[in-house]
Amino acid sequence: MPPSSSSRKSSPENEYAMSLAEADMSLDNPHNATLDTTTTTTTHHHHHSFLHSSPSPSNNKSTAAAQPLFESSSNNNYSKWNVAEARMELRKASKITSTYGLKLSTKWICEQLIGLPPSPPPSSFNGTNHFFTPFEEENENDATLYAKSLLDLGEYERAALVLSSGNNASAVAGSTIPPPLEELSSLGFFIRCYALYMAGERRKGEDVEELREPLERTKLRNPNLTQLSHELYDYYTSGALDAFGLYIYGVVLKELQNTPSASSTTTKIRPSSSVHHAQDIVPPPSPHSILLQSILQFPYNWSAWLDLSELCVQDSTIHSDVEEVLRPILGHWMYHFFCVHLF
C-alpha cells in the first residue's frame, strides 16, 4: 500500500507538534521547526486527539545509557485499549521528552492527554515493569544540567562546548567542537549531540539567507553532520546509545543521505577513535534501521515516527522491513498514529 503524498519531511524535533487530525495540513518547514519553539509556526484551529476513541486491534559509552526507556509487556496485549493506562504512559513519556529537550514532542504528547476522556487511575499499572525503566534526572552531573539550561535558551554551541573535552567557552563560532567528555550519561551525550546538530542547522539557515540562487541553497548542509556521524558511530558500535541517542543518530544519517554533496560521506563512515585502520572504514547503518531501534525502545517520540515516515515515502522498498521490525508493537496505539499519518 503506497504512502500518501501528504506525508511531509521531518528532522530532529520535527516536532510538528500537532494532533494527527491536523498532521497533513499544518506541518512546518523542518529547519524552522528545529531551532526553537518561538520560531515554529503551526496551524492550530483547535486541540484534538485521536486517543479519545479506541484504536482498532492489529492483525499482526556507559552501560546505563543502553538501557531501554520502553519495555514491552510480557503478553504484548496492546490491542486491549485502556484509557487510564494510556494516560499514565503519556504522562511519564512527557516528563522524559521534556527532560531531553524535545519540546514539540512533549507538546504533541500533552495534546493527546488533553483529548483523553476522564478516567480513574488504573488499579494495577506498574510504570517501571510494564513500560518504563527508572529515570532520575537528579542524578545528572552539574555540567549536564548547565548544558541543558543553555540548550533551552537556544545557546547551542555553548551547550555542546560545556559537554566537550577541553571545552573553551570562548571558542570562535563555527570552529570544530572538541570530542565529548568521557563518561557522559545518556542524557548528557544526547544534549551535546542535539545542541551540536542545532548549532549546525542555525548556521546553515544563516548561510541560506545570504545566497540568492536556489540551486546554491540546495547544496548547503549542516556543517556538523560529519563530526556527529563519526562520534555517534563510535557510541553505537559500543552499544552505548539509548533511545534518544539512536534517534539523533538516525536523523544525522537521514540528513547525510538526503544531502547531494554528502554522497561520499554516507558511503563510508570512519570511526573517530584515536587509532584508525583500513578496516575501520565501514558502511554506516541505514537511517531507518536506527530509527526503528529508537522507536522500539521508546515509541512515544513522535518526531522519530515522522522521520521514519519520511524515509518510507522516499523508499518503498523498506516497507516490509519496517513492518517486520515493528512487529512487537504493531498493536500499540502509537503504531496506529504512525499508520494514520503515513497512509
Side-chain angles (χ1 to χ4, degrees), residues 189 227-239 241 249 269-272 279-285:
F189 184 69
Q227 178 180 353
L228 281 168
S229 68
H230 292 170
E231 294 174 355
L232 285 160
Y233 177 89
D234 283 344
Y235 272 69
Y236 174 69
T237 54
S238 65
L241 292 182
Y249 188 27
I269 294 293
R270 179 186 289 276
S272 59
Q279 61 268 30
D280 288 336
I281 303 178
V282 296

Side-chain angles (χ1 to χ4, degrees), residues 64-303:
Q67 292 182 344
L69 295 175
F70 171 85
E71 294 179 347
S72 300
S73 62
S74 58
N75 57 8
N76 283 335
N77 189 21
Y78 299 129
S79 60
K80 184 178 180 181
W81 176 243
N82 186 309
V83 174
E85 287 199 0
R87 174 175 281 109
M88 292 297 292
E89 294 169 37
L90 288 167
R91 288 176 66 88
K92 288 175 178 291
S94 70
K95 293 178 181 179
I96 294 174
T97 55
S98 178
T99 298
Y100 275 78
L102 301 178
K103 298 177 183 179
L104 296 178
S105 276
T106 304
K107 180 183 177 183
W108 183 90
I109 290 170
C110 293
E111 286 179 343
Q112 309 317 308
L113 280 170
I114 293 298
L116 286 171
S119 63
S123 57
S124 61
F125 181 81
N126 187 327
T128 298
N129 296 329
H130 188 56
F131 279 107
F132 300 97
T133 57
F135 182 84
E136 300 293 340
E137 183 181 3
E138 58 266 26
N139 291 336
E140 293 299 330
N141 61 39
D142 296 342
T144 297
L145 297 178
Y146 178 46
K148 175 59 165 54
S149 71
L150 293 172
L151 179 72
D152 290 340
L153 290 172
E155 298 184 39
Y156 303 124
E157 287 203 23
R158 287 189 64 194
L161 282 168
V162 166
L163 299 176
S164 300
S165 59
N167 70 77
N168 180 2
S170 62
V172 178
S175 60
T176 302
I177 303 294
L181 290 169
E182 294 185 3
E183 299 181 357
L184 278 178
S185 66
S186 59
L187 174 60
F189 184 69
F190 171 82
I191 288 176
R192 181 186 175 281
C193 291
Y194 186 38
L196 192 54
Y197 179 92
M198 298 297 284
E201 287 294 288
R202 173 174 288 171
R203 201 182 320 155
K204 183 178 71 172
E206 293 170 351
D207 292 341
V208 165
E209 292 180 358
E210 297 177 0
L211 295 176
R212 294 180 177 272
E213 294 295 329
L215 184 59
E216 292 298 319
R217 293 185 175 188
T218 61
K219 294 179 181 179
L220 289 176
R221 69 165 183 164
N222 185 322
N224 295 333
L225 290 180
T226 300
Q227 178 180 353
L228 281 168
S229 68
H230 292 170
E231 294 174 355
L232 285 160
Y233 177 89
D234 283 344
Y235 272 69
Y236 174 69
T237 54
S238 65
L241 292 182
D242 71 346
F244 295 96
L246 289 166
Y247 164 60
I248 193 66
Y249 188 27
V251 168
V252 167
L253 290 173
K254 180 174 70 69
E255 291 300 308
L256 283 170
Q257 177 179 279
N258 292 339
T259 306
S261 61
S263 57
S264 60
T265 306
T266 57
T267 302
K268 301 289 184 180
I269 294 293
R270 179 186 289 276
S272 59
S273 57
S274 57
V275 179
H276 296 306
H277 305 285
Q279 61 268 30
D280 288 336
I281 303 178
V282 296
S286 63
H288 78 273
S289 69
I290 299 299
L291 289 170
L292 285 169
Q293 292 177 55
S294 172
I295 288 169
L296 286 176
Q297 287 193 31
F298 187 81
Y300 306 99
N301 181 5
W302 182 235
S303 294

Side-chain angles (χ1 to χ4, degrees), residues 34-71:
T34 59
L35 294 182
D36 197 355
T37 52
T38 58
T39 63
T40 304
T41 305
T42 53
T43 303
H44 286 288
H45 302 293
H46 60 279
H47 290 296
H48 179 73
S49 170
F50 275 10
L51 293 185
H52 70 279
S53 59
S54 173
S56 302
S58 172
N59 297 324
N60 305 308
K61 288 213 180 181
S62 67
T63 55
Q67 292 182 344
L69 295 175
F70 171 85
E71 294 179 347

